[in-house]
Amino acid sequence: LIGNGIKWYDAAVGGNLLPVSTALVDGTTYYASQSVTSCESEERLGIQVQVAVNTPLTSTAIQLCTNTQISQVVIDGFTSNDLKWYTSQTATTPLSSSQIVVSGTYYISKYLLNTCESVRKPIQVVLLQQIPAPTVANSLVICGGGTVADLQAEPAQGGTINWYISSQSDVPLALTEPLSNGTYYVEQTVGNCKSVKKPVAVHVVSTTAPIVSPFVLCAGATVADLAMPAATNTTYEWFVNGTSTTALAQNYVLTTGYYFVAKKTFTCVSNKTMVHITVNPRPLAPTGDAHQYFVDYAYISNLVMNESNIVWYNSYNEAITNTNSSPQSMPLVDGHTYYAVLMGDGGCASLPYGVTAHITLGTKDLDLTKLKYYPNPVSSELNIEYTEAINRVEVYSILGQKVLSKTY
C-alpha cells in the first residue's frame, strides 16, 4: 500500500504519521488512510504485521534412525512444516515429507509464514545402526482367550516392545486390548529408534469342551477306531476318567462304558466331555470245509458254509476291514482263497474264515490221447485237431479266466 496516496499512522485515530522508512515491528498493528487530492479518508485500515527473521539453520549434522521419514525429523526446533529439504543447492523441487532419509548431505532451508525462505544450509545426515526386530516366534498360541499383554516377545537391553494391528499403524495397541485370530505386528524401540514391524500369527484357541455323540463299536475296537472330525492342527485325546491327565494309547482296547475326550489344538487342551461307548460282541467265525471242489466252473454262490448270513470277500484285508464284498455271481478262480465273514447284531462281523476253491475241467467224454494242439506255448495262432468234429472252442488262462470262445 505504499504510494497511491496512502499514509501510515501508529493509531486508529490521531497518533503519529509514520515515514515510509520506519522499521516494522513484529506483532504491531499499523493504520493506513488514503488521500485523494487534498481529501484524506476519515477511517484508517488496521493491519497487524508479522515480521519473520529467517536466519539459516545452525546445525551442520544430525543423526537419525533408519527408515525415518522427513516428516519425523526436527532440526533446531523446526519441524517439516517449517523446513524444505533439497538434494542440492540448485534443486527446484523440495522433497516430499514422506521421503525416507538416507545417509548423505541434504540442503535445508527454513520456510516461515509460508512466504519467507532462508538460504539453504547443507546438513550431513548419519543413520544409526538398524534396530533389530524383537525376538519372537512366527506364531503364538493363546489358550482360551487373552489380551495384548499375553503376547510375549523378547526385547533388546533397554528396548521397549509395542504391538500393532497392522504394519502401517503408528498407534500401539493397549495391553488390555482383547486378542482375536489374525496377524499382529511387533516393534522394538531403543531410544528414539524403532525396528521394522515383524508380523506374528496369533491363534486364539477355545478351550470349550467338544460336543461328541455316543459310539457303538464292535469287540476288539481301539481308541484309533473312535472317528472324530478332522481339523487342521487338531487332535483328540481320550481318558478313562475326568481327572486323568494321561491320554489313552491309540491301541488301547475299549469296553462298554463312559470315557472322556478333550480336543487338543496346537498346544491348547480343551475341557473334557464324557462320552458313552457301547462295544457289541462279535459272532464266532463261520465254519465249513476249508477246501471246496468244483468241476468246470463255479461262483461265489456255490461256496457252502454251515451258517447263513455269510458275506464273502476276495482277500483277507477286505474281510477284516469289511470293505468291497464279493457279489454272489463272481466266478471262482482255481486255487484262490476266499474269506467268509458272519454278520451279527449291530453290524459286527466275525473274524474271517478262509476257503480255497479247486476247479477241475470235466473229461468224461474227451479222449485226450486223440486231441492235438500246437504250438505250445502259443503267441498268435493255435492249431487244434481231434478225431471228431470240433463245434466249439473255449480257451481259459491258468487263472481260470476265459480268453476265447468261438463256434465252428
Side-chain angles (χ1 to χ4, degrees):
L1 297 177
I2 298 175
N4 298 324
I6 301 300
K7 296 180 179 180
W8 291 94
Y9 297 87
D10 58 6
V13 178
N16 299 308
L17 176 64
L18 301 175
V20 294
S21 60
T22 301
L24 299 176
V25 178
D26 183 45
T28 301
T29 300
Y30 298 89
Y31 300 89
S33 69
Q34 180 171 283
S35 297
V36 179
T37 63
S38 61
C39 299
E40 184 177 356
S41 62
E42 294 182 358
E43 294 184 1
R44 298 172 184 174
L45 175 64
I47 297 178
Q48 187 181 49
V49 173
Q50 288 180 290
V51 179
V53 181
N54 207 344
T55 57
L57 299 168
T58 59
S59 295
T60 58
I62 57 175
Q63 290 183 328
L64 298 176
C65 306
T66 55
N67 298 314
T68 298
Q69 296 180 344
I70 287 177
S71 62
Q72 299 170 316
V73 181
V74 177
I75 303 176
D76 295 345
F78 297 96
T79 68
S80 61
N81 294 327
D82 307 314
L83 303 175
K84 285 189 175 182
W85 291 58
Y86 298 90
T87 56
S88 70
Q89 283 284 19
T90 58
T92 58
T93 304
L95 298 173
S96 168
S97 61
S98 62
Q99 177 80 32
I100 298 295
V101 182
V102 298
S103 293
T105 301
Y106 290 86
Y107 297 83
I108 305 174
S109 64
K110 286 164 48 180
Y111 188 67
L112 302 180
L113 304 180
N114 293 323
T115 56
C116 304
E117 185 173 2
S118 72
V119 296
R120 301 176 189 178
K121 179 70 176 286
I123 295 181
Q124 183 71 25
V125 173
V126 177
L127 295 185
L128 299 176
Q129 183 178 1
Q130 172 72 49
I131 301 300
T135 302
V136 62
N138 292 328
S139 64
L140 296 175
V141 177
I142 306 298
C143 300
T147 65
V148 170
D150 297 311
L151 299 177
Q152 299 298 316
E154 185 70 26
Q157 186 174 3
T160 301
I161 296 296
N162 287 315
W163 290 88
Y164 300 86
I165 195 63
S166 73
S167 59
Q168 291 79 32
S169 175
D170 291 324
V171 181
L173 293 171
L175 294 179
T176 56
E177 180 76 18
L179 295 173
S180 59
N181 284 319
T183 301
Y184 289 77
Y185 296 82
V186 62
E187 173 190 83
Q188 178 172 232
T189 300
V190 179
N192 294 323
C193 296
K194 298 179 180 180
S195 71
V196 297
K197 294 183 176 72
K198 180 178 179 178
V200 178
V202 174
H203 306 276
V204 181
V205 180
S206 171
T207 55
T208 302
I211 299 175
V212 183
S213 300
F215 284 90
V216 178
L217 303 172
C218 298
T222 65
V223 169
D225 297 313
L226 296 170
M228 299 294 289
T232 304
N233 300 313
T234 297
T235 57
Y236 292 86
E237 296 181 341
W238 290 86
F239 303 86
V240 292
N241 56 54
T243 59
S244 174
T245 58
T246 303
L248 296 174
Q250 291 292 296
N251 60 357
Y252 181 86
V253 179
L254 301 168
T255 59
T256 296
Y258 286 96
Y259 293 82
F260 291 79
V261 61
K263 181 169 68 172
K264 184 176 182 179
T265 303
F266 294 106
T267 56
C268 301
V269 179
S270 72
N271 296 322
K272 296 173 183 175
T273 295
M274 184 171 65
V275 181
H276 188 265
I277 297 176
T278 301
V279 179
N280 289 324
R282 292 181 180 272
L284 297 175
T287 58
D289 293 334
H291 295 271
Q292 300 190 21
Y293 299 86
F294 306 93
V295 176
D296 290 335
Y297 58 84
Y299 304 94
I300 287 289
S301 58
N302 298 125
L303 294 171
V304 177
M305 300 301 291
N306 295 329
E307 297 83 10
S308 59
N309 198 26
I310 297 295
V311 178
W312 290 94
Y313 296 90
N314 199 47
S315 70
Y316 181 85
N317 185 61
E318 291 174 336
I320 201 67
T321 57
N322 303 126
T323 57
N324 195 29
S325 61
S326 300
Q328 293 290 302
S329 59
M330 188 179 81
L332 300 180
V333 176
D334 181 47
H336 186 75
T337 300
Y338 301 85
Y339 293 89
V341 168
L342 184 61
M343 303 304 296
D345 296 336
C348 292
S350 69
L351 292 176
Y353 179 82
V355 175
T356 302
H358 301 275
I359 302 175
T360 56
L361 295 177
T363 58
K364 181 178 180 181
D365 299 322
L366 181 65
D367 186 355
L368 291 178
T369 61
K370 298 179 180 180
L371 175 65
K372 297 180 181 180
Y373 49 98
Y374 58 89
N376 184 22
V378 60
S379 61
S380 61
E381 182 176 306
L382 175 65
N383 298 279
I384 303 175
E385 296 180 5
Y386 192 62
T387 54
E388 297 178 7
I390 300 175
N391 298 318
R392 184 182 175 202
V393 172
E394 289 186 351
V395 180
Y396 291 80
S397 71
I398 60 175
L399 296 178
Q401 298 172 325
K402 184 188 294 184
V403 296
L404 174 67
S405 178
K406 192 168 183 180
T407 301
Y408 298 89

mmCIF file of all heavy atoms in Angstrom, residues 372-394:
data_model
loop_
_atom_site.group_PDB
_atom_site.id
_atom_site.type_symbol
_atom_site.label_atom_id
_atom_site.label_comp_id
_atom_site.label_asym_id
_atom_site.label_seq_id
_atom_site.Cartn_x
_atom_site.Cartn_y
_atom_site.Cartn_z
ATOM 1 N N LYS A 372 -4.958 -133.063 -30.334
ATOM 2 C CA LYS A 372 -3.674 -132.428 -30.632
ATOM 3 C C LYS A 372 -3.866 -130.905 -30.671
ATOM 4 O O LYS A 372 -4.838 -130.419 -31.249
ATOM 5 C CB LYS A 372 -3.125 -132.921 -31.983
ATOM 6 C CG LYS A 372 -2.826 -134.423 -32.021
ATOM 7 C CD LYS A 372 -2.296 -134.830 -33.384
ATOM 8 C CE LYS A 372 -2.010 -136.330 -33.459
ATOM 9 N NZ LYS A 372 -1.498 -136.724 -34.796
ATOM 10 N N TYR A 373 -2.914 -130.169 -30.042
ATOM 11 C CA TYR A 373 -2.948 -128.705 -30.111
ATOM 12 C C TYR A 373 -1.503 -128.214 -30.118
ATOM 13 O O TYR A 373 -0.661 -128.690 -29.363
ATOM 14 C CB TYR A 373 -3.712 -128.103 -28.919
ATOM 15 C CG TYR A 373 -3.295 -128.633 -27.565
ATOM 16 C CD1 TYR A 373 -2.390 -127.933 -26.763
ATOM 17 C CD2 TYR A 373 -3.821 -129.835 -27.074
ATOM 18 C CE1 TYR A 373 -2.007 -128.422 -25.528
ATOM 19 C CE2 TYR A 373 -3.432 -130.323 -25.846
ATOM 20 C CZ TYR A 373 -2.531 -129.616 -25.072
ATOM 21 O OH TYR A 373 -2.145 -130.105 -23.859
ATOM 22 N N TYR A 374 -1.226 -127.324 -31.050
ATOM 23 C CA TYR A 374 0.150 -126.840 -31.248
ATOM 24 C C TYR A 374 0.098 -125.474 -31.924
ATOM 25 O O TYR A 374 -0.897 -125.137 -32.572
ATOM 26 C CB TYR A 374 0.936 -127.860 -32.076
ATOM 27 C CG TYR A 374 0.325 -128.165 -33.426
ATOM 28 C CD1 TYR A 374 0.664 -127.401 -34.579
ATOM 29 C CD2 TYR A 374 -0.597 -129.194 -33.553
ATOM 30 C CE1 TYR A 374 0.080 -127.673 -35.796
ATOM 31 C CE2 TYR A 374 -1.182 -129.467 -34.781
ATOM 32 C CZ TYR A 374 -0.843 -128.703 -35.901
ATOM 33 O OH TYR A 374 -1.429 -128.963 -37.119
ATOM 34 N N PRO A 375 1.118 -124.658 -31.805
ATOM 35 C CA PRO A 375 2.279 -124.851 -30.911
ATOM 36 C C PRO A 375 1.902 -124.603 -29.456
ATOM 37 O O PRO A 375 0.872 -124.017 -29.182
ATOM 38 C CB PRO A 375 3.262 -123.784 -31.390
ATOM 39 C CG PRO A 375 2.388 -122.682 -31.897
ATOM 40 C CD PRO A 375 1.209 -123.353 -32.528
ATOM 41 N N ASN A 376 2.745 -125.027 -28.584
ATOM 42 C CA ASN A 376 2.510 -124.843 -27.155
ATOM 43 C C ASN A 376 3.853 -124.513 -26.489
ATOM 44 O O ASN A 376 4.742 -125.367 -26.476
ATOM 45 C CB ASN A 376 1.915 -126.101 -26.539
ATOM 46 C CG ASN A 376 1.572 -125.895 -25.062
ATOM 47 O OD1 ASN A 376 1.405 -124.767 -24.621
ATOM 48 N ND2 ASN A 376 1.487 -126.993 -24.322
ATOM 49 N N PRO A 377 4.086 -123.324 -25.976
ATOM 50 C CA PRO A 377 3.089 -122.252 -25.844
ATOM 51 C C PRO A 377 2.789 -121.578 -27.184
ATOM 52 O O PRO A 377 3.522 -121.748 -28.139
ATOM 53 C CB PRO A 377 3.757 -121.272 -24.883
ATOM 54 C CG PRO A 377 5.226 -121.473 -25.105
ATOM 55 C CD PRO A 377 5.396 -122.939 -25.380
ATOM 56 N N VAL A 378 1.705 -120.807 -27.205
ATOM 57 C CA VAL A 378 1.242 -120.178 -28.429
ATOM 58 C C VAL A 378 1.262 -118.670 -28.247
ATOM 59 O O VAL A 378 1.010 -118.168 -27.157
ATOM 60 C CB VAL A 378 -0.191 -120.657 -28.784
ATOM 61 C CG1 VAL A 378 -1.158 -120.310 -27.681
ATOM 62 C CG2 VAL A 378 -0.643 -120.063 -30.112
ATOM 63 N N SER A 379 1.584 -117.952 -29.336
ATOM 64 C CA SER A 379 1.597 -116.494 -29.255
ATOM 65 C C SER A 379 0.478 -115.870 -30.080
ATOM 66 O O SER A 379 -0.154 -114.907 -29.648
ATOM 67 C CB SER A 379 2.952 -115.953 -29.719
ATOM 68 O OG SER A 379 3.184 -116.325 -31.065
ATOM 69 N N SER A 380 0.216 -116.436 -31.278
ATOM 70 C CA SER A 380 -0.812 -115.808 -32.114
ATOM 71 C C SER A 380 -1.743 -116.819 -32.793
ATOM 72 O O SER A 380 -2.932 -116.569 -32.918
ATOM 73 C CB SER A 380 -0.143 -114.922 -33.177
ATOM 74 O OG SER A 380 0.697 -115.723 -34.008
ATOM 75 N N GLU A 381 -1.222 -117.953 -33.212
ATOM 76 C CA GLU A 381 -2.045 -118.935 -33.964
ATOM 77 C C GLU A 381 -1.983 -120.299 -33.289
ATOM 78 O O GLU A 381 -0.913 -120.827 -33.034
ATOM 79 C CB GLU A 381 -1.546 -119.042 -35.410
ATOM 80 C CG GLU A 381 -2.383 -119.989 -36.263
ATOM 81 C CD GLU A 381 -1.934 -119.992 -37.713
ATOM 82 O OE1 GLU A 381 -1.871 -118.901 -38.317
ATOM 83 O OE2 GLU A 381 -1.628 -121.080 -38.235
ATOM 84 N N LEU A 382 -3.158 -120.832 -32.978
ATOM 85 C CA LEU A 382 -3.256 -122.129 -32.301
ATOM 86 C C LEU A 382 -3.961 -123.128 -33.220
ATOM 87 O O LEU A 382 -5.042 -122.844 -33.734
ATOM 88 C CB LEU A 382 -4.037 -121.984 -30.985
ATOM 89 C CG LEU A 382 -4.324 -123.284 -30.228
ATOM 90 C CD1 LEU A 382 -3.021 -123.920 -29.734
ATOM 91 C CD2 LEU A 382 -5.267 -123.015 -29.053
ATOM 92 N N ASN A 383 -3.371 -124.285 -33.414
ATOM 93 C CA ASN A 383 -3.963 -125.362 -34.218
ATOM 94 C C ASN A 383 -4.508 -126.438 -33.284
ATOM 95 O O ASN A 383 -3.821 -126.882 -32.361
ATOM 96 C CB ASN A 383 -2.910 -125.987 -35.136
ATOM 97 C CG ASN A 383 -2.366 -124.953 -36.131
ATOM 98 O OD1 ASN A 383 -2.988 -124.682 -37.140
ATOM 99 N ND2 ASN A 383 -1.202 -124.385 -35.807
ATOM 100 N N ILE A 384 -5.775 -126.872 -33.524
ATOM 101 C CA ILE A 384 -6.416 -127.899 -32.697
ATOM 102 C C ILE A 384 -6.957 -129.000 -33.636
ATOM 103 O O ILE A 384 -7.658 -128.696 -34.606
ATOM 104 C CB ILE A 384 -7.564 -127.318 -31.864
ATOM 105 C CG1 ILE A 384 -7.049 -126.165 -30.968
ATOM 106 C CG2 ILE A 384 -8.208 -128.400 -31.000
ATOM 107 C CD1 ILE A 384 -8.137 -125.471 -30.206
ATOM 108 N N GLU A 385 -6.639 -130.251 -33.303
ATOM 109 C CA GLU A 385 -7.131 -131.395 -34.086
ATOM 110 C C GLU A 385 -7.737 -132.436 -33.148
ATOM 111 O O GLU A 385 -7.243 -132.651 -32.040
ATOM 112 C CB GLU A 385 -5.995 -132.045 -34.876
ATOM 113 C CG GLU A 385 -5.377 -131.135 -35.926
ATOM 114 C CD GLU A 385 -4.253 -131.833 -36.681
ATOM 115 O OE1 GLU A 385 -4.052 -133.043 -36.440
ATOM 116 O OE2 GLU A 385 -3.582 -131.167 -37.503
ATOM 117 N N TYR A 386 -8.840 -133.071 -33.617
ATOM 118 C CA TYR A 386 -9.480 -134.129 -32.834
ATOM 119 C C TYR A 386 -10.118 -135.116 -33.802
ATOM 120 O O TYR A 386 -10.407 -134.794 -34.950
ATOM 121 C CB TYR A 386 -10.532 -133.522 -31.895
ATOM 122 C CG TYR A 386 -11.048 -134.494 -30.851
ATOM 123 C CD1 TYR A 386 -10.180 -135.047 -29.915
ATOM 124 C CD2 TYR A 386 -12.387 -134.869 -30.815
ATOM 125 C CE1 TYR A 386 -10.632 -135.939 -28.957
ATOM 126 C CE2 TYR A 386 -12.840 -135.766 -29.854
ATOM 127 C CZ TYR A 386 -11.967 -136.295 -28.928
ATOM 128 O OH TYR A 386 -12.408 -137.177 -27.982
ATOM 129 N N THR A 387 -10.360 -136.343 -33.321
ATOM 130 C CA THR A 387 -10.901 -137.387 -34.201
ATOM 131 C C THR A 387 -12.336 -137.106 -34.595
ATOM 132 O O THR A 387 -12.822 -137.650 -35.595
ATOM 133 C CB THR A 387 -10.826 -138.746 -33.496
ATOM 134 O OG1 THR A 387 -11.482 -138.645 -32.235
ATOM 135 C CG2 THR A 387 -9.383 -139.170 -33.288
ATOM 136 N N GLU A 388 -13.039 -136.289 -33.833
ATOM 137 C CA GLU A 388 -14.417 -135.939 -34.137
ATOM 138 C C GLU A 388 -14.500 -134.457 -34.486
ATOM 139 O O GLU A 388 -13.551 -133.685 -34.258
ATOM 140 C CB GLU A 388 -15.320 -136.254 -32.951
ATOM 141 C CG GLU A 388 -15.365 -137.742 -32.602
ATOM 142 C CD GLU A 388 -16.234 -138.028 -31.394
ATOM 143 O OE1 GLU A 388 -16.899 -137.075 -30.917
ATOM 144 O OE2 GLU A 388 -16.216 -139.148 -30.919
ATOM 145 N N ALA A 389 -15.627 -134.087 -35.073
ATOM 146 C CA ALA A 389 -15.796 -132.688 -35.475
ATOM 147 C C ALA A 389 -15.727 -131.766 -34.243
ATOM 148 O O ALA A 389 -16.278 -132.083 -33.191
ATOM 149 C CB ALA A 389 -17.127 -132.495 -36.175
ATOM 150 N N ILE A 390 -15.038 -130.658 -34.424
ATOM 151 C CA ILE A 390 -14.936 -129.652 -33.360
ATOM 152 C C ILE A 390 -15.965 -128.570 -33.643
ATOM 153 O O ILE A 390 -15.887 -127.857 -34.640
ATOM 154 C CB ILE A 390 -13.522 -129.050 -33.300
ATOM 155 C CG1 ILE A 390 -12.489 -130.152 -33.009
ATOM 156 C CG2 ILE A 390 -13.443 -127.940 -32.250
ATOM 157 C CD1 ILE A 390 -11.066 -129.674 -33.049
ATOM 158 N N ASN A 391 -16.960 -128.466 -32.788
ATOM 159 C CA ASN A 391 -18.033 -127.490 -32.980
ATOM 160 C C ASN A 391 -17.795 -126.178 -32.207
ATOM 161 O O ASN A 391 -18.310 -125.129 -32.579
ATOM 162 C CB ASN A 391 -19.371 -128.078 -32.543
ATOM 163 C CG ASN A 391 -19.735 -129.292 -33.372
ATOM 164 O OD1 ASN A 391 -19.550 -129.304 -34.578
ATOM 165 N ND2 ASN A 391 -20.219 -130.347 -32.720
ATOM 166 N N ARG A 392 -17.044 -126.281 -31.112
ATOM 167 C CA ARG A 392 -16.866 -125.091 -30.274
ATOM 168 C C ARG A 392 -15.534 -125.166 -29.515
ATOM 169 O O ARG A 392 -15.155 -126.258 -29.068
ATOM 170 C CB ARG A 392 -18.021 -124.966 -29.274
ATOM 171 C CG ARG A 392 -17.980 -123.701 -28.405
ATOM 172 C CD ARG A 392 -19.133 -123.706 -27.438
ATOM 173 N NE ARG A 392 -19.071 -122.570 -26.507
ATOM 174 C CZ ARG A 392 -19.676 -122.530 -25.335
ATOM 175 N NH1 ARG A 392 -20.385 -123.581 -24.941
ATOM 176 N NH2 ARG A 392 -19.586 -121.466 -24.568
ATOM 177 N N VAL A 393 -14.875 -124.038 -29.398
ATOM 178 C CA VAL A 393 -13.596 -123.986 -28.689
ATOM 179 C C VAL A 393 -13.663 -122.853 -27.650
ATOM 180 O O VAL A 393 -14.111 -121.747 -27.958
ATOM 181 C CB VAL A 393 -12.423 -123.725 -29.659
ATOM 182 C CG1 VAL A 393 -11.134 -123.473 -28.868
ATOM 183 C CG2 VAL A 393 -12.236 -124.900 -30.596
ATOM 184 N N GLU A 394 -13.238 -123.154 -26.402
ATOM 185 C CA GLU A 394 -13.096 -122.140 -25.357
ATOM 186 C C GLU A 394 -11.697 -122.265 -24.760
ATOM 187 O O GLU A 394 -11.245 -123.383 -24.478
ATOM 188 C CB GLU A 394 -14.147 -122.300 -24.253
ATOM 189 C CG GLU A 394 -15.550 -121.930 -24.698
ATOM 190 C CD GLU A 394 -16.553 -121.950 -23.548
ATOM 191 O OE1 GLU A 394 -16.166 -122.412 -22.451
ATOM 192 O OE2 GLU A 394 -17.688 -121.499 -23.765
#
